[in-house]
Amino acid sequence: MTQINIDLLVGQRVLTREGVTLGRIEAIKIVRDRDAWLVSEFHIGPGALLERLAIGLLPGLLREAMERRARSHRQRISWNQIDLSDPRHPRLVCDEAALRRQ
C-alpha cells in the first residue's frame, strides 16, 4: 500500500493522458476499511472547490443555488483512474469520458 501526504495533492492540477489540464484536486473522499483509511475518489473542478469551502454553512436559498451549481461543475475521479506515482503531477490513466460528473 502506497502512502502519500494529502497536502501534496490538494490543489494539484490533474492532467489527461494527452497532457491537457482537467482541473485541480479540491477535495478527497476517504473511507474506513477496518484499521485503515483509504482514498475512494478525488473531486476536481469549480464545484469541488465550492464543496471544499463548506457551502453547507450558507443560509437557505443561497446554499441551494450554490449546491446545484457545484453538482453540475464537479467531476469525480475514482482512486484507480489516476496515476499518483508523482504526487505533484497527477495524471489520468483513463479517458476523460470515463469520469463521473455529479
Side-chain angles (χ1 to χ4, degrees):
M1 181 180 336
T2 303
Q3 293 184 1
I4 298 173
N5 188 339
I6 288 179
D7 290 347
L8 296 177
L9 295 176
V10 174
Q12 293 297 330
R13 290 183 188 172
V14 176
L15 301 177
T16 63
R17 293 193 298 184
E18 294 77 28
V20 177
T21 299
L22 187 62
R24 293 186 182 269
I25 296 175
E26 300 293 351
I28 300 172
K29 183 177 177 184
I30 59 172
V31 295
R32 187 168 185 117
D33 182 23
R34 297 186 191 115
D35 294 333
W37 290 95
L38 306 172
V39 171
S40 66
E41 62 189 21
F42 300 91
H43 296 185
I44 64 170
L49 176 60
L50 292 174
E51 175 185 30
R52 188 174 104 193
L53 295 175
I55 60 174
L57 300 176
L58 297 174
L61 293 175
L62 178 59
R63 181 181 67 239
E64 290 173 20
M66 296 295 280
E67 285 174 346
R68 276 193 304 277
R69 180 170 169 78
R71 279 193 299 274
S72 65
H73 292 89
R74 173 179 64 206
Q75 286 185 299
R76 293 180 172 191
I77 303 174
S78 294
W79 69 271
N80 60 346
Q81 293 177 314
I82 192 167
D83 175 12
L84 296 174
S85 58
D86 180 358
R88 295 192 187 276
H89 301 98
R91 187 176 214 82
L92 290 182
V93 297
C94 64
D95 291 328
E96 187 177 350
L99 301 179
R100 296 186 322 200
R101 280 206 181 269
Q102 183 182 12

